[in-house]
Amino acid sequence: MRGRWPGHRRTGALTCRTSSPAATSRPSTASRTPIREALALLEHDGLLERAVRGYRVRAGRPEAVVEIYEARLALESEAAATAALRHTDLDIARLEHHHRQCCGSAADDEVRAGNFRFHEALWEAGHNATITGLLVKLTAQLRIYDSGPPRAYGDFDTLNTEHERILRALRDRSPDDARAAMRAHLQRSLEQRIRLTLEA
């Protein structure tokens, strides 16, 4: 999924017209079949929707943010619990590296990118490809709501404290503490997204 969705597209933006062979093949010399298959895959993942002539970036409903987070809470808290039991020394080193990059910066975009890499490293530390794949799809769907002007990421000190709590639970190999710390972290993130949605 990471390779499927580079950059941001405006919600509702026409992505590709598929009504004629010329329209579909114009961006490259690739045949129409793999392009259509890729577009269908993005539609299946909830990132595109069919338009009158082709596909466009799906228009997100505010209610869908809550739905996505409910699924993410269930999956990622379990990924944290699994990571507490299965992580390697290299996994912990990666998490600590991304944590330092994320919480050691005052730039909003760097904090946002570092926070994502921290979560991604945690998923991988659980060594469960199915959970990781589902979380990648859910996170990609959330990016629909991140289009438009950048918004303040939030309280950096709180983010730092939450990451530290998750890391401590992983180092202690405590799945219950890791699960609880991740749920609290994501719950606060959901509340922040709801607030930003209402203020938009």
Side-chain angles (χ1 to χ4, degrees):
M1 175 58 68
R2 273 168 284 173
R4 295 183 208 160
W5 198 247
H8 290 286
R9 297 282 296 192
R10 188 179 69 257
T11 298
L14 187 64
T15 298
C16 185
R17 294 179 179 177
T18 58
S19 57
S20 69
T24 306
S25 60
R26 190 175 296 123
S28 70
T29 58
S31 68
R32 295 189 302 275
T33 299
I35 293 174
R36 286 173 174 164
E37 289 175 350
L39 291 170
L41 186 58
L42 288 168
E43 180 187 18
H44 178 268
D45 287 346
L47 300 175
L48 298 181
E49 60 186 4
R50 289 186 181 272
V52 176
R53 299 181 65 187
Y55 291 85
R56 65 186 175 195
V57 178
R58 192 185 72 175
R61 298 178 298 111
E63 293 80 5
V65 173
V66 177
E67 295 172 5
I68 293 169
Y69 260 90
E70 286 176 348
R72 189 178 171 188
L73 275 161
L75 286 169
E76 192 156 2
S77 59
E78 196 56 37
T82 304
L85 297 174
R86 297 182 180 175
H87 72 261
T88 65
D89 291 343
L90 183 57
D91 291 327
I92 291 294
R94 288 194 184 106
L95 282 160
E96 290 175 339
H97 171 72
H98 294 314
H99 172 58
R100 287 192 300 270
Q101 283 192 323
C102 170
C103 297
S105 174
D108 192 80
D109 56 341
E110 292 180 7
V111 173
R112 188 183 302 275
N115 184 56
F116 174 74
R117 287 191 292 267
F118 178 86
H119 281 266
E120 191 175 45
L122 184 138
W123 308 338
E124 293 172 354
H127 298 279
N128 184 314
T130 299
I131 289 179
T132 297
L134 290 170
L135 284 167
V136 168
K137 289 182 180 181
L138 290 172
T139 303
Q141 289 178 20
L142 282 173
R143 293 186 67 180
I144 292 172
Y145 304 90
D146 292 333
S147 61
R151 295 175 292 185
Y153 196 74
D155 184 349
F156 294 170
D157 291 337
T158 300
L159 180 65
N160 180 67
T161 299
E162 290 171 347
H163 280 191
E164 287 285 4
R165 190 174 296 123
I166 293 167
L167 279 168
R168 188 180 310 116
L170 296 183
R171 294 189 197 99
D172 293 344
R173 294 197 178 271
S174 174
D176 290 340
D177 289 348
R179 184 183 293 111
M182 181 55 72
R183 286 192 69 85
H185 179 50
L186 292 176
Q187 185 63 46
R188 186 184 67 84
S189 180
L190 171 58
E191 292 168 359
Q192 179 182 341
R193 278 185 177 269
I194 291 174
R195 175 178 55 80
L196 291 172
T197 298
L198 294 175
E199 292 174 354

